């Protein structure tokens, strides 16, 4: 007779996950979160697939809220979490056993710090795990909502905290499967570029035109060497090229917007 796996002792943490049609990958995310022993809160924006059923099968508390934007959707969930410490996890991210153990250790030692930064290792499409020595982004993803909150901005979801608030760094990275395949990466890169171009302040047209000449090569060098995409071989090369093209398109869209606004102001 097989034994049921032991349930982890609960910790005072709520894991908050936003979803919209993530049935193909949210199950892996939830399976990696369960060992934390935290409350799981899923805010769904109206999925048409099995996302909600999958989330409920893992014991998540599912809330429904039509998409109001990145920041407001996360704030909606923050206000409905049981615990004051919230861990924001995306539906395309995986918690490794190492980061689970590290986070549990912090909470089991006593009063957890108000802010914790978490490292994200971006996984190239078709890869199961990050390359050795992969570059990681670092964000405040675990926070005490009594002290810090997600900015109420529909375009971004950065956590805002009072200056000088003590921050604890979680050393083990989570794994971020941002892109399902190359087609998805191209579409998502274009979406992010348009969002930035539509929301960023209008820059001088001469400056944007000048940036166009250098944006692609400089961005490619940044992604390929500084962010170490070269560690993923030809997949890393493809990822760096698409990422650099996305930066170029963003500037091109910003210049397009500046030109249109200049034409509107003409008598």
């Amino acid at each position: 007779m097989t034994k049921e796996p032991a349930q982890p002792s609960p910790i005072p943490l709520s894991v908050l996950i936003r979803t919209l049609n993530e049935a193909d990958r949210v199950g892996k995310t939830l399976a990696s979160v369960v060992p934390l022993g935290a409350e799981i809160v899923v805010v769904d924006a109206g999925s048409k697939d099995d996302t909600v059923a999958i989330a409920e099968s893992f014991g998540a508390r599912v809330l429904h809220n039509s998409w109001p934007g990145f920041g407001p959707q996360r704030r909606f969930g923050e206000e409905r979490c049981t615990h004051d410490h919230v861990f924001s996890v995306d539906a395309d991210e995986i918690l490794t056993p190492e980061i689970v153990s590290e986070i549990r250790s912090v909470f089991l030692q006593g009063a957890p710090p108000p802010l914790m930064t978490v490292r994200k290792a971006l996984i190239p499409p078709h890869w199961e795990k990050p390359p050795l020595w992969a570059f990681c982004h670092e964000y405040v993803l675990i926070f005490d909502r009594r002290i810090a909150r997600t900015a109420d901005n529909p375009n971004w979801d950065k956590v805002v905290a009072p200056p000088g608030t003590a921050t604890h760094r979680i050393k083990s990275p989570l794994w971020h499967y941002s892109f399902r395949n190359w087609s998805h990466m191209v579409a998502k890169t274009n979406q992010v570029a348009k969002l930035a171009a539509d929301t960023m302040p209008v820059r001088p047209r001469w400056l944007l035109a000048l940036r166009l000449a250098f944006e692609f090569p400089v961005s490619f060098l940044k992604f390929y060497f500084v962010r170490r995409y070269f560690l993923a071989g030809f997949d890393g090369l493809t990822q760096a090229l698409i990422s650099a093209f996305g930066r170029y398109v963003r500037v091109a869209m910003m210049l397009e917007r500046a030109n249109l606004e200049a034409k509107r102001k003409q008598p």
Side-chain angles (χ1 to χ4, degrees):
M1 179 181 296
T2 59
K3 293 184 178 180
E4 291 293 327
Q7 293 298 314
S9 58
I11 59 175
L13 174 68
S14 294
V15 174
L16 177 60
I17 304 173
R18 296 171 306 193
T19 58
L20 178 62
N21 298 325
E22 297 285 357
D24 61 324
R25 50 188 182 175
V26 72
K28 291 183 178 179
T29 298
L30 291 164
S32 75
V33 168
V34 168
L36 264 179
E39 175 191 39
I40 304 176
V41 178
V42 170
V43 180
D44 188 76
S47 294
K48 303 300 182 183
D49 57 13
D50 292 331
T51 297
V52 171
I54 293 171
E56 291 176 340
S57 73
F58 281 92
R61 179 159 59 94
V62 180
L63 308 173
H64 300 271
N65 192 50
S66 298
W67 182 253
F70 290 94
Q73 187 76 328
R74 185 182 285 180
R75 288 178 69 95
F76 174 87
E78 290 170 5
E79 293 165 359
R80 289 157 179 82
C81 288
T82 300
H83 303 293
D84 287 318
H85 272 81
V86 178
F87 184 8
S88 180
V89 176
D90 288 339
D92 56 4
E93 295 173 345
I94 299 294
L95 304 187
T96 65
E98 291 77 15
I99 191 174
V100 167
S101 177
E102 188 174 350
I103 292 172
R104 281 187 58 80
S105 177
V106 171
F107 277 85
L108 293 174
Q109 287 175 4
L115 299 179
M116 298 181 223
T117 59
V118 176
R119 301 167 66 226
K120 289 189 179 187
L122 182 63
I123 313 298
H126 317 302
W127 282 55
E128 292 297 323
K129 60 182 181 179
L132 188 64
W133 303 309
F135 176 85
C136 294
H137 292 280
E138 193 165 322
Y139 306 95
V140 173
L141 294 181
I142 305 176
F143 53 95
D144 187 334
R145 65 182 179 182
R146 296 168 296 184
I147 297 173
R149 293 297 302 272
T150 300
D152 194 16
N153 185 320
N155 302 312
W156 314 108
D157 51 9
K158 182 179 180 180
V159 174
V160 179
T165 306
T167 303
H168 176 82
R169 185 173 185 262
I170 301 296
K171 297 178 182 179
S172 302
L174 59 75
W175 293 357
H176 188 193
Y177 297 84
S178 185
F179 311 115
R180 293 178 171 92
N181 48 49
W182 296 126
S183 177
H184 182 228
M185 183 177 181
V186 170
K188 192 170 182 178
T189 299
N190 183 69
Q191 180 185 14
V192 171
K194 187 176 187 309
L195 178 63
D198 290 345
T199 57
M200 294 178 69
V202 178
R203 307 291 176 83
R205 287 186 291 168
W206 67 266
L207 178 60
L208 293 172
L210 181 63
R211 282 185 60 182
L212 276 181
F214 301 97
E215 193 71 23
F216 183 86
V218 171
S219 294
F220 173 77
L221 293 174
K222 176 181 177 181
F223 286 113
Y224 195 64
F225 291 107
V226 178
R227 296 191 180 179
R228 302 194 287 274
Y229 285 9
F230 68 88
L231 295 172
F234 284 109
D235 285 334
L237 175 63
T238 303
Q239 192 172 4
L241 287 169
I242 295 174
S243 299
F245 179 71
R247 293 294 179 88
Y248 178 88
V249 169
R250 180 180 68 178
V251 177
M253 290 178 178
M254 292 172 67
L255 179 58
E256 180 181 51
R257 178 185 167 202
N259 286 333
L260 289 173
E261 295 200 10
K263 287 182 179 180
R264 292 193 190 100
K265 295 178 180 179
Q266 292 177 354

